[in-house]
């Protein structure tokens, strides 16, 4: 078992691509590969393809693995890429990014590095944590989902109890720690519920 720490940036990029009609999602991976092992890089590649990546540049890992290991990795990643490029995203779950909630609670620190931001913004950090944990739980349950911004949610059409956007139909909308949202978004959420859609609040209501 290989544990991969991930911030869901790949999933967010893939969702933008899926919901705006783009043809693929490219990642440049393994820039920091000093301690790379074959099982670990395969785990990272599998995670990225599972979240919607379709094209991968391996950057520097080929200088860290043996030629036999890199051949094994390339075969593994190439097969995944072929499957992912031929497939189409299909899910009925949408997760809203709590951007407005982070903006409302964010207090720019006076100087300092990233740890200082963490120390001075506990609410923003908590909101981000709940969003990530929500995504982790869905992924752990093998329940696929797309990540929506408020702008994308506002563009969605509502029909037959589903949010319809870019050929996808979402019956479930998950709002993780959504404390703030634009009035237009709130109207869309209310309309979705009134027409039979399901909304799940995680954390704050």
């Amino acid at each position: 078992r290989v544990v991969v720490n991930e911030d869901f940036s790949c999933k967010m990029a893939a969702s933008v691509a899926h919901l705006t009609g783009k043809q693929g999602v490219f990642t440049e991976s393994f820039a920091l590969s000093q301690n790379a092992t074959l099982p670990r890089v395969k785990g990272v590649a599998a995670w990225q393809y599972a979240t919607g990546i379709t094209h991968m540049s391996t950057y520097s890992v080929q200088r860290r693995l043996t030629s036999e290991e890199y051949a094994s990795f390339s075969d593994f990643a190439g097969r995944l890429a072929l499957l992912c490029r031929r497939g189409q995203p299909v899910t009925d779950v949408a997760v809203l990014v709590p951007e407005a909630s982070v903006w409302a609670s964010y207090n720019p620190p006076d100087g300092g590095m990233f740890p200082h931001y963490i120390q001075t913004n506990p609410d923003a950090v908590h909101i981000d944590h709940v969003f990530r944990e929500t995504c982790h739980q869905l992924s752990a349950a093998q329940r696929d989902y797309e990540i929506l911004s408020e702008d994308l949610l506002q563009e969605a059409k509502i029909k037959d109890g589903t949010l319809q956007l870019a050929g996808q139909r979402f019956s479930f909308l998950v709002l993780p720690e959504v404390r703030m949202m634009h009035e237009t978004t709130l109207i869309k959420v209310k309309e979705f519920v009134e027409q039979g859609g399901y909304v799940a609040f995680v954390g704050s209501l």
Side-chain angles (χ1 to χ4, degrees), residues 140-161:
Q142 297 189 18
R143 189 64 185 268
D144 198 15
Y145 55 95
E146 298 287 8
I147 298 174
L148 301 182
S149 65
E150 286 198 47
D151 288 342
L152 286 171
L153 178 55
Q154 290 171 16
E155 292 177 13
K157 306 297 182 183
I158 300 175
K159 185 178 180 181
D160 301 327

Side-chain angles (χ1 to χ4, degrees), residues 11-12 14-21 88-96 138 143-175 188-189 191-200:
K11 185 65 175 176
M12 295 173 77
S15 290
V16 170
H18 296 161
L19 299 173
T20 57
Q88 295 293 329
V90 178
T91 180
D92 60 355
V93 179
V95 179
L96 184 67
L138 286 167
R143 189 64 185 268
D144 198 15
Y145 55 95
E146 298 287 8
I147 298 174
L148 301 182
S149 65
E150 286 198 47
D151 288 342
L152 286 171
L153 178 55
Q154 290 171 16
E155 292 177 13
K157 306 297 182 183
I158 300 175
K159 185 178 180 181
D160 301 327
T162 62
L163 289 166
Q164 301 185 6
L165 184 64
Q168 297 204 57
R169 297 167 176 261
F170 303 108
S171 299
F172 302 92
L173 176 63
V174 183
L175 306 179
K188 180 74 70 170
V189 172
E191 183 183 354
F192 176 54
V193 172
E194 289 167 356
Q195 295 197 24
Y198 296 93
V199 174

Side-chain angles (χ1 to χ4, degrees), residues 1-19:
R1 181 169 176 259
V2 178
V3 178
V4 179
N5 296 320
E6 173 57 39
D7 63 358
F8 291 92
S9 55
C10 291
K11 185 65 175 176
M12 295 173 77
S15 290
V16 170
H18 296 161
L19 299 173

